[in-house]
Amino acid sequence: MKPWKKWLAILLTGCMMLFAAGCGGQGSGSKTIAFVSHDDPTLGFTAMLEKAIETGAKGIGCEVEVTNAGMDANKQIDQMNEVIAKKPGAIILLPVEANALTPAVEKANAAGIPVLITNRDIAGGKTAQVHSDEEQAGRMQGEYMAKHLPQGAKIVYFLGDSTQASAQLRWKGFKEACLDKRPDVELLAMTDAGWSHTEALKDMTLWLKLFPQIDGVASGNDDMALGALDAMKAAGRFDSHVVICGVDAGDAALKAVAAGEMSQTIKQDVDTTATTILDLIQKMAKDGQAEADEKVPFIEITKDNVLQFLK
């Protein structure tokens, strides 16, 4: 059985058990899961996660209702209030901002609606959480670059949204594994590009004018890495010897790795994340709100193994 078929079978089995009992923690019997996203759920890891959960639910006649806050915390608070009023079986929340969304989580707790947090942090309330070790992703990038960069290499780093713990932890892991271990490697520039391809393209275009030598590009996600790659191509500065690393393992990044344009991407394992999320929701349907904290390991993808992940 192919890997994707195996996880989908597990997902569907879990969902059937879940919704046979109804997924509401207080016996609501609702067959709706609210997927309350921090940003556009058609992009990156969020898109893959939403699709994985929606696919499993659709197979047994369950509905997943998706909302998108567009990185606006106030909008997401309003969306949470609307969701809670509808009394879904469970809420999967990707918070825009940890402190701002805590009262909404507490309101869902009071209403007896199970809440599961993923991909982002929350400051309070009772939640189950499914996360990856963000520092691990940075370490994987740093270890790869420390091994493959030439002596005296010069690199740039694209931080994601610097207000988010995930961005800071990925940077921390990278710094400790690469820059602290390879003092000969010089960090030319570092910027908060907000996870954005467009912002990274603009920043990289400027850096290419300022710096005649760039041997490596490390990025907190694939979108920024691909933005940097596009800038290098446009400037006639792309060289297959430049080490470019990202995180997410989206289709575009996987193709870039296979083509030798990106060196590495780190897969945030959406399949395991989805099955873990639905397993926890199933348990909460039976026993009420859990406060579990599940960690899902990242997976390193390079040209050596990328064909396993290409669709």
Side-chain angles (χ1 to χ4, degrees):
M1 180 181 289
K2 293 183 178 181
W4 72 268
K5 290 184 177 180
K6 182 177 181 180
W7 75 254
L8 183 58
I10 295 170
L11 189 66
L12 290 172
T13 299
C15 281
M16 285 187 281
M17 293 174 65
L18 164 63
F19 291 107
C23 62
Q26 296 294 323
S28 70
S30 173
K31 292 188 176 182
T32 298
I33 294 176
F35 188 95
V36 185
S37 178
H38 60 293
D39 203 355
D40 188 347
T42 65
L43 300 173
F45 174 77
T46 308
M48 294 185 282
L49 179 62
E50 185 270 329
K51 183 177 180 181
I53 291 173
E54 196 169 49
T55 298
K58 185 176 180 180
I60 44 82
C62 169
E63 182 180 11
V64 177
E65 292 188 355
V66 181
T67 58
N68 167 23
M71 296 306 294
D72 183 331
N74 289 327
K75 182 177 180 180
Q76 192 173 49
I77 291 168
D78 291 340
Q79 290 172 340
M80 279 290 288
N81 287 332
E82 292 171 4
V83 163
I84 292 167
K86 293 179 181 178
K87 299 187 184 300
I91 298 171
I92 300 170
L93 174 62
L94 288 67
V96 172
E97 203 279 320
N99 290 307
L101 270 296
T102 293
V105 169
E106 293 171 341
K107 184 175 180 180
N109 293 156
I113 302 169
V115 180
L116 188 142
I117 304 294
T118 190
N119 196 240
R120 295 296 181 95
D121 295 319
I122 196 71
K126 295 180 179 179
T127 65
Q129 299 189 43
V130 177
H131 291 281
S132 294
D133 180 354
E134 304 293 352
E135 197 170 330
Q136 180 194 22
R139 283 198 304 272
M140 287 179 166
Q141 288 182 314
E143 288 165 0
Y144 184 91
M145 280 202 162
K147 181 178 180 181
H148 291 90
L149 286 171
Q151 190 72 19
K154 300 178 186 296
I155 70 169
V156 296
Y157 189 91
F158 288 97
L159 192 72
D161 184 339
S162 59
T163 67
Q164 295 170 15
S166 57
Q168 294 291 346
L169 289 170
R170 289 177 188 184
W171 159 247
K172 180 176 183 289
F174 175 81
K175 178 180 178 297
E176 290 176 354
C178 182
L179 300 179
D180 291 353
K181 299 289 179 63
R182 288 278 308 269
D184 62 294
V185 175
E186 180 182 355
L187 179 65
L188 295 172
M190 173 178 170
T191 189
D192 176 340
W195 311 113
S196 167
H197 178 283
T198 301
E199 291 301 314
L201 189 151
K202 289 193 297 185
D203 291 330
M204 190 67 181
T205 299
L206 173 61
W207 290 345
L208 289 167
K209 294 175 181 177
L210 295 174
F211 307 121
Q213 177 186 346
I214 297 178
D215 303 296
V217 178
S219 173
N221 77 345
D222 287 336
D223 284 342
M224 295 185 295
L226 291 166
L229 174 63
D230 287 345
M232 296 181 79
K233 288 180 177 178
R237 291 275 300 273
F238 173 70
D239 184 321
S240 61
H241 292 97
V242 176
V243 180
I244 303 177
C245 300
V247 179
D248 279 342
D251 289 343
L254 292 174
K255 290 174 182 176
V257 171
E261 295 180 337
M262 279 181 61
S263 309
Q264 177 203 52
T265 183
I266 307 297
K267 180 178 175 62
Q268 193 167 1
D269 191 349
V270 68
D271 304 342
T272 301
T273 299
T275 54
T276 303
I277 285 172
L278 288 179
D279 181 59
L280 279 171
I281 289 177
Q282 177 187 337
K283 291 177 180 177
M284 290 190 290
K286 179 181 177 182
D287 302 325
Q289 180 69 56
E291 295 185 73
D293 188 355
E294 299 287 344
K295 292 289 193 297
V296 179
F298 282 96
I299 301 169
E300 179 183 30
I301 300 175
T302 66
K303 200 164 186 178
D304 292 337
N305 66 343
V306 68
L307 295 181
Q308 300 174 31
F309 300 93
L310 276 170
K311 297 178 181 178

